[in-house]
Amino acid sequence: MTDLGAWAASGAMCLTGRPDGPPMAAPGDPAGAVRRALARVAAATRRRTGALPTLPDVRLLGERAAIAGLRRNGPWSCGGAFRLLPTADGWWGVSLPRPEDIEMVPALVEDDDPGDPWEAVARWARGVASADAVARGRLLGLPCCDPASVDRSRPGVVARQGGRRFPRERPRVVDLTSLWAGPLCAHLLGLGGAEVVKVESRHRPDGSRRGPRAFLDLLHGGHAMVAVDFHDPDAVARLRDLVASADLVLEASRPRALARLGLDADALVDKGVSWLSITARGRDCDAVGFGDDVAAGAGLVVEDGGELFPCGDALADPLTGVAAAAAAAEALLSERAALIDVSMHHVCAEFSGPPAPHEVVRRADRWWVAWDGGEAVVADPAPRMPLRPAGELGVDNERILDGLR
């Protein structure tokens, strides 16, 4: 059953729709899914520690936008880097958030001088089928989707058991992820008492450092911060020692990239280290994706005036982050290690579906959503205050890489 009240309270509904139009309800039940996953994190943490952790609520769906000052921006994403475009037979969505994505536009549209990249992409998309647009975009490494081709062939989270492990009172989580989904998982585990060690590349640090400092502080406050030169064999060897000492490793990289560092997830899991991998479409797929395009590709879109819009702000990221945290918190209770494969697309697909019957109305200066049996005010996105500042890049290198074994 769709929890429209949770969606209205989350701040994500306020972020969905046109700037000059009403906020819109998402299809399916993404906010209800967040509420249930957070309850699983709390229950697993209580079993491990005997205490109930203080966790955020569904408002985490809107907190990045609140911190960054983003508002609903349909037909664009809140951040302006994603849009759904009409094709010859449907719709195609693409994200162009990075300079390297913009640089791929001439190759995508087969024009060395295409002019404005978004205008060029829109012209090109109108002449091709959605499936062909996805195939060509992925061939070029672009994060793109077809919202009509939702893959429900697997669960969002799948796991296999590995070797014996010995649960610790304060488990160590080594976080190799960046941006939002993985760091949110680490943040929730840290709120539950885990020791979190965040590892970044010394030369290519977490992209969230280029965004609002308050968001970095929110997700990483209280975590140890380690920077590693991945071209330095000694530093990589110490990283492997750190990973081997972990109760759980979080990562969001292609397996072959980690293999070059000598990190073999299957081997580590068999030795008793749990491993959680977050990817766009599962560990066996090389497709790249960001929060808006992955969510849209899983059917989390709304329609207004014949146009399709994304829902919320990078919705796949927080949905995946809390789903991963629930699986991780439960894995930390087990005496067997686990290899946990989290697919952002399939997490979102589990909670997309037909929109629930409802009405959005304006009363005085507030929007309300009403449904059979209830109504709720549409809340503005609200930020949480960070518990403490995050450390600077590599501030804990000596203590972690040299002192902890």
Side-chain angles (χ1 to χ4, degrees), residues 153-194:
S153 62
R154 54 156 280 182
V157 179
V158 296
R160 74 160 181 88
Q161 282 194 330
R164 183 172 174 78
R165 60 180 295 269
F166 300 93
R168 288 187 278 193
E169 183 176 348
R170 190 182 186 212
R172 178 180 297 166
V173 176
V174 173
D175 177 18
L176 305 177
T177 68
S178 61
L179 299 177
W180 194 358
L184 175 59
C185 174
H187 168 66
L188 295 173
L189 296 175
L191 293 177

Side-chain angles (χ1 to χ4, degrees), residues 277-293:
S277 177
I278 296 174
T279 59
R281 300 179 72 92
R283 284 174 58 82
D284 295 332
C285 179
D286 282 339
V288 297
F290 293 101
D292 288 303
D293 55 88

